[in-house]
Amino acid sequence: MSDRRTPARALISVSDKSGLDVLAAALAPLDIQVLSTGGTAKALADLGLAVTEVADHTGFPEMMNGRVKTLHPAIHGGLLALRDNAEHIAAMTTHQIAPIDLLVVNLYPFEVTVARGAGWDETIENIDIGGPAMIRSAAKNHADVAVVTAPEDYAELAEQLRQGGTTTAFRRALAGKAYARTAAYDSAIAAHFNAHTADVLPQRLTLGGSRGDLLRYGENPHQKAAFYSFAGAGQPSVATAQQAQGKSLSFNNLNDTDAAFALVSDMPRDAASVAIIKHANPCGAAIGDTVLEAYTKALACDSVSAFGGIVATNQPLNAAAAEAITAIFTEVVIAPGADDAAKQVFAKKKNLRLLLTDGLADPGAASLNVRSLSGGLLVQTNDTGRVTEADVKVVTKRAPTPQEMADMLLAFRIAKHVKSNAIIYVKDGTTVGIGAGQMSRVDSSRIAARKAEDAAQQAGLSEPATIGSVVASDAFFPFADGLLAAADAGATAVIQPGGSMRDDEVIAAADEAGLAMVFTGMRHFRH
């Protein structure tokens, strides 16, 4: 016995009317009564389908500005009734409820409404009530009812109908998609309401993402991966960026590009800023009068690691900057924009991915950082902390010079984006040594200094650029050895959170070495 179900009656009510021509063409040859509402009914009629208004079917008028139109037993009874249950059939006969075998519904555009910054009242009116209720009813009764919630499923529905009706497997798959859609929709609504309360970590956390294309693989070829984007994410991001050219982005590309864009968005806006990222850590960052100057300075920090890296800029790209960036192998470039001449330069490197964001992220915007653990999620607010000159406290006998202070504040901001333990040397607005992800802070200091020495040798310089630099530490120095390693590398000033039991010893060591040191009172661990 075939498990296919040929619908006798369909209800179609869609906000997104794309693909309706495909749906209408599939239904037209079949003897199916089509119920619909408002704009959808008109669109279907224009495509040549005979349509019955839902109000005529229920005998109850639409009311309250459309808030009540499908919330009626004639609709939900028709969707929920079990076709092989005598009691259900009897109830349908008694109450003159006709079965509805196919439901095609997509929801009011709540997420889009929020993303474009609509006011509170408008967003509330874009919360769909009848749509999710019908979807859930139809999905529960998927043994007999097919429920379609996205235009991309119209083609498969059309093929199923052409073959004689929908199969159990297809209806079950559609039901799963339907429940995922209503769950994601409710998640977006909950997130919007939570954003307008003081409870930044709600009692129940719901996440609803939409899968884009499947990625070739995850961090390694034996891992499966996909990128899920959250609807309503209004500010520029990797998720909202337009890919102007290049091959598909990989899991690692996306992860590293997100880190690069976050860093460059956090750097000073009153100058051109560039960050070069490798394995989610910066291998160079700098500010300059132009993007070209900033890139050239950032690259000099560690040109070896920059090979195959990610480049992010805070200003649109021109041809000169594009020529410099493409002079070495670069995986991804992300920027607010690029002029036509720059695009022509990038086009010569057909595999290079160029992402354009039309803006920068707001590093001070409140959001949640979510990481998976076995059996749960670890959730925190994003690190939006920033330190200004007014926030720091000079703790040494010597106060920093204005240039040292400017470099220290930049170094400490960059440290926020470097895996702990993080040590950052900066000189004249440029990173000249970066130590990242070490178990010992003194090792991070030594590695950063050694990389600076290697860069100096490669450039044919007589001394590393750490001579006369400043150094930032993402957390306090627990012992004086890390500080002294920085002094040995040539640093003249230090910025660190402070708060160690041995702060007095570290301050004394700084004074003895003639260093200027400031405490921020803020830590920037990044694990």
Side-chain angles (χ1 to χ4, degrees):
M1 181 176 177
S2 173
D3 69 344
R4 288 188 181 273
R5 298 287 187 272
T6 302
R9 188 170 291 99
L11 193 160
I12 306 172
S13 180
V14 293
S15 175
D16 177 3
K17 295 177 176 55
S18 61
L20 274 184
D21 54 337
V22 175
L23 187 61
L27 297 178
L30 305 176
D31 184 19
I32 296 178
Q33 181 188 14
V34 177
L35 310 177
S36 192
T37 60
T40 304
K42 182 181 184 305
L44 291 172
D46 290 344
L47 289 168
L49 281 184
V51 178
T52 300
E53 287 279 353
V54 163
D56 295 332
H57 179 74
T58 62
F60 211 79
E62 179 180 320
M63 62 178 63
M64 300 176 185
N65 302 114
R67 283 190 171 202
V68 178
K69 51 188 172 185
T70 58
L71 298 170
H72 193 280
I75 300 299
H76 289 276
L79 292 169
L80 282 165
L82 296 171
R83 301 334 190 230
D84 59 356
N85 184 298
E87 183 180 345
H88 288 202
I89 298 301
M92 293 175 73
T93 301
T94 299
H95 299 287
Q96 299 181 315
I97 295 174
I100 300 172
D101 313 302
L102 171 63
L103 178 72
V104 181
V105 170
N106 55 57
L107 306 175
Y108 292 174
F110 176 83
E111 298 101 327
V112 174
T113 304
V114 171
R116 64 178 172 80
W120 182 261
D121 290 344
E122 185 179 354
T123 60
I124 297 305
E125 288 308 311
N126 274 278
I127 297 176
D128 203 326
I129 302 300
M134 289 191 294
I135 288 171
R136 291 175 63 82
S137 293
K140 179 173 182 176
N141 202 23
H142 64 272
D144 291 297
V145 181
V147 52
V148 179
T149 56
E152 54 261 33
D153 288 320
Y154 292 171
E156 178 61 20
L157 172 65
E159 178 60 20
Q160 292 260 325
L161 294 176
R162 189 187 67 78
Q163 294 184 23
T166 60
T167 63
T168 299
F170 181 58
R171 293 192 300 276
R172 186 174 296 164
L174 289 176
K177 290 183 178 182
Y179 282 124
R181 176 63 188 119
T182 57
Y185 195 72
D186 284 341
S187 291
I189 295 169
H192 183 61
F193 274 78
N194 288 334
H196 288 80
T197 69
D199 189 5
V200 295
L201 296 172
Q203 186 67 31
R204 292 187 181 275
L205 177 68
T206 59
L207 300 173
S210 297
R211 193 187 77 191
D213 293 336
L214 289 171
L215 305 177
R216 287 177 59 201
Y217 50 78
E219 286 183 287
N220 300 291
H222 61 277
Q223 294 173 269
K224 295 181 179 179
F227 177 55
Y228 290 80
S229 60
F230 297 131
Q235 68 167 316
S237 66
V238 172
T240 63
Q242 296 297 311
Q243 184 168 350
Q245 70 155 66
K247 60 183 181 180
S248 298
L249 290 153
S250 71
F251 182 99
N252 293 328
N253 290 154
L254 287 164
N255 187 58
D256 291 352
T257 304
D258 184 63
F261 190 63
L263 171 53
V264 84
S265 294
D266 207 7
M267 292 177 71
R269 303 278 177 100
D270 57 355
S273 298
V274 169
I276 306 174
I277 300 290
K278 192 71 170 288
H279 300 309
N281 273 310
C283 51
I287 59 175
D289 292 332
T290 65
V291 172
L292 174 60
E293 180 187 356
Y295 173 76
T296 303
K297 292 163 68 176
L299 179 64
C301 178
D302 187 354
S303 59
V304 174
S305 297
F307 184 85
I310 314 293
V311 175
T313 75
N314 73 342
Q315 293 183 3
L317 295 155
N318 58 22
E323 290 283 5
I325 292 169
T326 56
I328 67 168
F329 171 51
T330 302
E331 289 273 13
V332 182
V333 177
I334 184 167
D339 63 24
D340 290 340
K343 290 178 182 178
Q344 290 177 8
V345 173
F346 286 121
K348 299 174 185 177
K349 304 288 185 178
K350 63 179 182 178
N351 288 333
L352 182 148
R353 296 90 159 177
L354 175 62
L355 302 183
L356 303 179
T357 61
D358 195 31
L360 297 171
D362 177 3
S367 59
L368 295 181
N369 178 275
V370 181
R371 303 182 192 181
S372 63
L373 299 183
S374 298
L377 297 173
L378 196 59
V379 181
Q380 65 177 344
T381 57
N382 270 332
D383 185 356
T384 59
R386 277 190 161 195
V387 171
T388 67
E389 184 172 353
D391 299 316
V392 303
K393 177 183 178 183
V394 178
V395 296
T396 49
K397 295 175 182 177
R398 184 174 78 80
T401 67
Q403 183 62 54
E404 287 175 330
M405 180 62 76
D407 282 344
M408 284 193 294
L409 293 174
L410 176 61
F412 196 66
R413 191 171 295 182
I414 294 170
K416 184 170 77 172
H417 299 269
V418 178
K419 297 284 188 180
S420 299
N421 288 310
I423 295 292
I424 314 296
Y425 293 89
V426 167
K427 184 177 181 179
D428 297 330
T430 304
T431 56
V432 293
I434 299 174
Q438 298 305 304
M439 291 68 74
S440 162
R441 194 159 299 277
V442 66
D443 284 344
S444 288
S445 296
R446 289 168 177 161
I447 287 172
R450 176 56 189 270
K451 292 179 77 69
E453 292 173 0
D454 292 343
Q457 290 179 2
Q458 186 176 7
L461 302 177
S462 59
E463 62 181 23
T466 50
I467 303 297
S469 68
V470 306
V471 66
S473 174
D474 63 342
F476 62 67
F477 286 103
F479 302 97
D481 53 358
L483 178 94
L484 294 175
D488 290 343
T492 62
V494 181
I495 183 170
Q496 58 134 320
S500 168
M501 293 177 60
R502 296 181 176 82
D503 273 350
D504 289 344
E505 294 178 23
V506 176
I507 293 170
D511 281 333
E512 186 175 349
L515 303 176
M517 185 162 65
V518 301
F519 284 179
T520 66
M522 179 181 291
R523 189 180 74 184
H524 282 312
F525 271 164
R526 183 167 179 256
H527 290 121

